[in-house]
Amino acid sequence: MAILSPVEKLIALRKKHKINQKDLAGDQISRSHLAMIETGKNKFNENTAKILVENFNKIFKERNIPEKVKLEELMESKKEQIEKLKIDFLKKLEKEDAIEPIISDIESYASEYDIQTKITLYEKIGNIFFEKENFHRAASFYLRILNDLIIIRDSKALGKVSLSLIRIYLQTENFQSAVDLENLIKSEISSFALPEKSIILFNFGIIFDSLKDHNKALEYFNLVEEYISDSDQYFDVKNYQALSFADLGKYDSSVSIYRSLMLKYKDINHKIIINNNLLYISRVENNSDKIKFYLRKCKKLIELVNLDEVSNYTFEQIIFEIGETSLILNKRKDAINYLLRLCNEKTKRNLNKKFSAIRYLLTLFTKKDIETVKKTEKFYFTLLKREKRLEIAFDFVDFYMKNGLQKEVCNILNSIKPFSKF
């Protein structure tokens, strides 16, 4: 269905049914007046429209055309039609499970939308894909309205869309896209409402910390401090500040923060995070006595953690740190135990750590572990669908060849063919 102005609908109806201007004008208006309405030289008002509607319906009746023109439909403006479409699309998006046909319909009218209609519809679609964890599709729709939101200075909507995008980039570890986002919205963040502002600032800190730009990460962690409203937020910010200091080689500043946090947070879930990060700092300092001390504490505390109160993302990071440290200390059994616990899909984050865990495990497994190796291989292919790390497939090949498992070599080489051109 095309979006037409009242005059465009008038012309389309007349031509569709092959009615000339003289017949449609009838006795009450002149043909020349109708012609000037159609060319835009005369105004098309409601009184004229009423006459033309009557004439249309009279002609339809005389010609036995099973159609009727309604005044309100003829005079409905483009803006009113688009508003009706928007409301209808939003209802359908809310109710229907299969949204692709609805999206196709929405896209077919894209050239007709004003900025606000486009924003409303595409943000809704983005939110639906976000909830379904289809992050690539969600981001594609959010990005299509990002510049529009900046142009119209809708800081409330821009804050929400920006927060969704930064969460997607963290979830998928797409840090370069996050940096591109920061460049776009940096000057707008101050106008965002809470809590979006504080979460965005904090997440940018995490992203720059992941990119090893620890000074910039600290800038964001320091900025977000003034917006902290509760104890858990305070802990998270101070924790990341401490890690950034450690990565900059400022170990005293880092340890000082953790000592302060130890006095304030005495529950198991906070204790394991503090001790795990002190384990990390000990490794960076290469202090073997502290490494052994904090590893023992972490192994004890991790079994007491309430998984309902610690995010899967954080839990996986701790498990990896314990497993990797056990490997460094040549504790093979412990290393295998903890690294295997990382080989699941509790969260789609920590992708690099999961790939690293697989590589570590393949250096620890023996032929006796073949069943576990195959389970690990299956998990690897789950990850491979999200990121093509084909080099790890050849770690499996090396393992199978060293253990004389030629059949398994052939199987994995065949399995990776869809992911690569040989």
Side-chain angles (χ1 to χ4, degrees), residues 277-293:
N277 289 333
L278 286 169
L279 171 61
Y280 168 75
I281 293 168
S282 302
R283 284 178 53 185
V284 174
E285 288 184 291
N286 198 26
N287 187 322
S288 58
D289 289 336
K290 285 184 179 180
I291 291 171
K292 292 173 184 176
F293 173 76

Side-chain angles (χ1 to χ4, degrees), residues 278-329:
L278 286 169
L279 171 61
Y280 168 75
I281 293 168
S282 302
R283 284 178 53 185
V284 174
E285 288 184 291
N286 198 26
N287 187 322
S288 58
D289 289 336
K290 285 184 179 180
I291 291 171
K292 292 173 184 176
F293 173 76
Y294 286 116
L295 179 62
R296 284 195 301 271
K297 290 197 74 172
C298 287
K299 285 164 70 175
K300 182 179 177 181
L301 288 168
I302 197 67
E303 304 307 326
L304 303 174
V305 166
N306 184 342
L307 294 179
D308 292 330
E309 296 177 7
V310 173
S311 72
N312 288 325
Y313 171 70
T314 300
F315 183 77
E316 286 180 345
Q317 288 189 314
I318 295 169
I319 288 293
F320 180 81
E321 190 74 28
I322 296 173
E324 188 177 50
T325 306
S326 298
L327 176 65
I328 291 168
L329 296 178

Side-chain angles (χ1 to χ4, degrees), residues 34-65:
L34 176 56
M36 293 179 81
I37 288 172
E38 290 188 358
T39 56
K41 293 177 181 176
N42 280 356
K43 188 176 179 181
F44 186 29
N45 59 39
E46 193 163 318
N47 288 333
T48 304
K50 284 179 181 177
I51 295 169
L52 294 175
V53 166
E54 288 177 7
N55 291 345
F56 265 125
N57 290 330
K58 182 181 177 183
I59 293 168
F60 288 169
K61 189 174 181 180
E62 291 170 352
R63 296 184 184 182
N64 293 318
I65 298 172

Side-chain angles (χ1 to χ4, degrees), residues 341-385:
R341 289 170 72 176
L342 199 66
C343 294
N344 60 65
E345 276 291 78
K346 285 184 179 178
T347 170
K348 291 185 178 180
R349 294 178 69 182
N350 292 314
L351 197 58
N352 288 330
K353 283 184 169 55
K354 289 175 183 178
F355 279 126
S356 295
I358 292 170
R359 301 195 87 164
Y360 285 148
L361 284 165
L362 288 171
T363 67
L364 296 167
F365 286 145
T366 66
K367 193 172 182 178
K368 293 178 181 178
D369 302 309
I370 186 61
E371 292 305 316
T372 307
V373 175
K374 287 183 177 179
K375 288 179 182 177
T376 307
E377 181 189 323
K378 185 178 180 181
F379 175 65
Y380 163 66
F381 276 99
T382 302
L383 301 183
L384 197 61
K385 292 173 184 175

Side-chain angles (χ1 to χ4, degrees), residues 57-114:
N57 290 330
K58 182 181 177 183
I59 293 168
F60 288 169
K61 189 174 181 180
E62 291 170 352
R63 296 184 184 182
N64 293 318
I65 298 172
E67 193 172 329
K68 188 171 183 179
V69 180
K70 294 180 180 178
L71 177 64
E72 59 273 18
E73 290 178 358
L74 179 63
M75 296 304 288
E76 194 173 59
S77 68
K78 280 189 171 184
K79 185 176 180 180
E80 289 169 329
Q81 292 171 71
I82 290 168
E83 183 64 21
K84 279 187 176 180
L85 272 174
K86 181 185 79 174
I87 293 168
D88 184 53
F89 284 142
L90 289 172
K91 285 179 180 177
K92 286 178 178 177
L93 287 169
E94 199 70 47
K95 292 179 181 179
E96 301 292 333
D97 290 328
I99 65 168
E100 292 297 345
I102 304 168
I103 293 173
S104 180
D105 286 344
I106 289 171
E107 297 277 47
S108 69
Y109 292 101
S111 62
E112 303 285 352
Y113 300 142
D114 57 80

